[in-house]
Amino acid sequence: MQSKPGECHAHLYVNGKKITRLYSSWYYLDNLKPGKTEIRVSLNANNHQVLAHNGKMIEATQIVEVPATKK
């Protein structure tokens, strides 16, 4: 399938595991375990091909620290 300009979405990864596709500007991410968690989002064409600019993937990675809950 050929990609179509302007038709894309994002892929959401948590600790390297693909969680879902994103088609809107927000996503509620719950049930993260306490400790450090790596969250990565990549932009992908409608055929799931990774989008790139100047040969570099368009993506962002953030490490978040989830606090332990008190019982």
Side-chain angles (χ1 to χ4, degrees), residues 27-48:
Y27 181 80
Y28 183 75
L29 187 59
D30 62 351
N31 297 322
L32 294 177
K33 295 178 182 173
K36 291 185 179 181
T37 300
E38 180 187 85
I39 298 173
R40 181 170 59 96
V41 177
S42 66
L43 293 184
N44 302 78
N46 62 309
N47 66 356
H48 298 280

Side-chain angles (χ1 to χ4, degrees), residues 3-49:
S3 64
K4 294 180 183 177
E7 290 187 19
C8 60
H9 60 279
H11 288 178
L12 173 67
Y13 299 84
V14 174
N15 292 329
K17 180 181 176 189
K18 184 177 172 186
I19 302 299
T20 192
R21 295 180 212 155
L22 302 172
Y23 295 96
S24 66
S25 59
W26 67 272
Y27 181 80
Y28 183 75
L29 187 59
D30 62 351
N31 297 322
L32 294 177
K33 295 178 182 173
K36 291 185 179 181
T37 300
E38 180 187 85
I39 298 173
R40 181 170 59 96
V41 177
S42 66
L43 293 184
N44 302 78
N46 62 309
N47 66 356
H48 298 280
Q49 195 172 29

